[in-house]
Amino acid sequence: MTTETQTASRRRASFHNLTVSEVRRLTDDAIEVTFGVPAELAGQYDYLPGQYVALRTTLPDEQGEPHEVRRSYSICAEPRSFEDGSSEIRVAIKKDLGGLFSTWANAELKAGDVLDVMSPQGAFISRHGKDGAAVQHNVMNSMNHPEELAGEPGNFVAIAAGSGITPVIAIARTLLAANPETTFDLVYANKAAMDVMFLEELADLKDKYPSRLALHHVLSREQRIAPLMTGRIDSEKLQALLSSAIRAEDVDEWFLCGPFELVQLCRDTLAARGVEPEHVRFELFTTGRPDRPEGNAGRPVVEDESQDTYKITFTLDGLTGDVASPTHARESILNAALRVRPDVPFACAGGVCGTCRAKLITGTVTMDENYALEQDELDKGYVLTCQSHPTSEEVTVDFDV
Ligand code: FES
């Protein structure tokens, strides 16, 4: 990766108030929300297709008490900026069953509302290109004119389910525009036609690139003419799709985005077919562990001088501080750090997004889940602080590197 790409995909997260400029209904239970980004903040909100933003607001919880909620949503449009230097961020918000934020947003959010929006993050981006970063580099330098990008031609395949289409549509648009020889196969799974998000946009993209984009809608609860396109994607159907529907012999990059089970099935299947993991990018909706609520910021841990503690030292924005964490509490480094610095960055708190990444400088930790860091990052000592628990008396991490 070039330094520029590293900066774009790993910029330190910070929140700003952004105003909603448009809310557009996509399906009965999904909306697209556009935030205007003023010129003075545009540099902090440039992004690569496939990245996400965290949104933060305060909503009443079940007891009616004000409760801070953070949710991450993928950006669904290719980067754009306007003549006056301003830009915009578009995300799609699908109503989750019982989801406090997504239910509220689908019912209440309107143009003119203001939310805290975190600067874009995430590593679900294409690395295809001469130096492994050519496409991203070009995108970052030609945000308004993706047609002019000199990205390497490539064959790409994406398998998305439900709102997993959100980052994928931004990636597909950009890669198809970047090189006239690029092909993109998209397998998009939904329950029924009425659940398909961006139906029109996908049809328009197909019209624009009739021979280069192959679109395979798979519906689990609706009969389609081709039996292959009907039913849930299980191992058998996936093998059949890969053998008969996907055109490319040599796929340069795979993009997988959906619930844990589907992404895991695809990863295992591709690995068994000999696809190298470095050609596979994936993004999960959740870790499949709803017992870990998103936005669980700093649950109370009572420190008591008689208890054994771990000493956690951390550097954030150039300031170094430390916090004692009782050994019996088995709290995460993020949790402990939030008690003394509420601005420690996090979004999903579930090992998925990578926002809480820091480098382990001294000491040892165990990490529960990791769906965000790649092997080279682990080799360099990076950890997800929301998933890391000290195993040595003293631990030092650095959020700034
Ligand atoms: S906050 Fe998302 S991985 Fe830690």
Side-chain angles (χ1 to χ4, degrees), residues 248-297:
E249 289 285 302
D250 294 315
V251 177
D252 293 292
E253 232 172 2
W254 297 80
F255 299 96
L256 313 173
C257 190
F260 177 78
E261 296 74 18
L262 178 68
V263 169
Q264 206 53 36
L265 172 68
C266 293
R267 291 179 71 205
D268 291 346
T269 306
L270 292 175
R273 287 178 158 240
V275 176
E276 301 286 337
E278 53 267 33
H279 292 277
V280 182
R281 321 260 160 262
F282 66 95
E283 180 108 310
L284 301 171
F285 290 166
T286 70
T287 57
R289 299 182 63 166
D291 53 316
R292 298 185 171 201
E294 291 179 80
N296 180 9

Side-chain angles (χ1 to χ4, degrees), residues 25-313:
R25 188 144 291 283
L26 295 173
T27 67
D28 283 353
D29 60 2
I31 50 173
E32 180 189 70
V33 181
T34 306
F35 293 94
V37 180
E40 62 274 18
L41 289 178
Q44 300 201 42
Y45 284 87
D46 55 9
Y47 63 89
L48 299 170
Q51 292 196 294
Y52 68 87
V53 290
L55 308 181
R56 182 175 69 183
T57 193
T58 301
L59 295 174
D61 63 15
E62 281 162 10
Q63 285 74 42
E65 296 295 324
H67 178 69
E68 183 194 293
V69 282
R70 296 184 184 208
R71 295 292 182 268
S72 303
Y73 293 99
S74 293
I75 301 171
C76 58
E78 64 275 44
R80 295 176 67 196
S81 60
F82 303 106
E83 271 177 13
D84 64 357
S86 65
S87 63
E88 63 179 27
I89 294 279
R90 285 175 192 246
V91 297
I93 302 179
K94 185 168 182 192
K95 194 155 73 175
D96 301 320
L97 200 60
L100 182 64
F101 183 87
S102 62
T103 305
W104 169 79
N106 267 268
E108 310 275 346
L109 199 59
K110 58 186 184 315
D113 288 350
V114 175
L115 290 186
D116 288 344
V117 182
M118 190 187 270
S119 45
Q121 307 288 315
F124 186 58
I125 54 178
S126 174
R127 307 211 179 141
H128 177 67
K130 287 191 205 87
D131 59 359
V135 172
Q136 295 96 305
H137 177 88
N138 288 330
V139 170
M140 293 309 290
N141 288 293
S142 309
M143 300 225 309
N144 266 335
H145 305 287
E147 305 78 14
E148 294 169 10
L149 303 182
E152 299 256 304
N155 298 317
F156 303 94
V157 178
I159 302 175
S163 53
I165 191 63
T166 311
V168 167
I169 193 170
I171 291 170
R173 277 187 181 135
T174 309
L175 290 175
L176 284 164
N179 191 289
E181 288 167 37
T182 284
T183 68
F184 203 103
D185 277 50
L186 170 59
V187 176
Y188 184 19
N190 278 286
K191 288 193 185 108
M194 62 180 283
D195 300 315
V196 177
M197 294 165 69
F198 299 109
L199 187 60
E200 262 178 48
E201 288 82 353
L202 289 169
D204 289 348
L205 207 57
K206 177 67 185 164
D207 284 347
K208 192 168 178 187
Y209 306 109
S211 61
R212 297 198 284 125
L213 172 65
L215 204 48
H216 310 286
H217 285 288
V218 181
L219 300 179
S220 62
R221 295 196 189 157
E222 226 170 80
Q223 199 64 37
R224 306 211 64 211
I225 296 170
L228 186 57
M229 301 300 157
T230 307
R232 244 182 108 247
I233 299 184
D234 55 12
S235 177
E236 200 181 328
K237 187 175 291 297
L238 182 60
Q239 293 286 3
L241 283 164
L242 294 175
S243 302
S244 61
I246 306 301
R247 300 167 299 173
E249 289 285 302
D250 294 315
V251 177
D252 293 292
E253 232 172 2
W254 297 80
F255 299 96
L256 313 173
C257 190
F260 177 78
E261 296 74 18
L262 178 68
V263 169
Q264 206 53 36
L265 172 68
C266 293
R267 291 179 71 205
D268 291 346
T269 306
L270 292 175
R273 287 178 158 240
V275 176
E276 301 286 337
E278 53 267 33
H279 292 277
V280 182
R281 321 260 160 262
F282 66 95
E283 180 108 310
L284 301 171
F285 290 166
T286 70
T287 57
R289 299 182 63 166
D291 53 316
R292 298 185 171 201
E294 291 179 80
N296 180 9
R299 84 190 138 85
V301 167
V302 181
E303 290 175 41
D304 171 342
E305 282 183 3
S306 64
Q307 295 167 335
D308 287 339
T309 55
Y310 297 114
K311 181 181 175 197
I312 298 171
T313 305

Side-chain angles (χ1 to χ4, degrees), residues 52 72 334 345-357 372 384-387:
Y52 68 87
S72 303
L334 172 71
F346 75 95
C348 72
V352 174
C353 70
T355 311
C356 64
R357 182 185 97 140
L384 298 175
T385 56
C386 73
Q387 299 296 306

Side-chain angles (χ1 to χ4, degrees), residues 327-391:
T327 50
H328 70 84
R330 205 181 176 272
E331 66 176 342
S332 66
I333 290 178
L334 172 71
N335 211 97
L338 281 169
R339 281 191 280 116
V340 290
R341 284 282 298 270
D343 56 333
V344 177
F346 75 95
C348 72
V352 174
C353 70
T355 311
C356 64
R357 182 185 97 140
K359 191 167 187 176
L360 184 64
I361 307 294
T362 61
T364 54
V365 301
T366 53
M367 205 160 38
D368 292 340
E369 306 280 10
N370 170 30
Y371 302 105
L373 297 179
E374 306 221 4
Q375 192 55 50
D376 64 323
E377 296 172 288
L378 296 170
D379 294 344
K380 287 178 192 151
Y382 288 98
V383 295
L384 298 175
T385 56
C386 73
Q387 299 296 306
S388 296
H389 308 273
T391 51

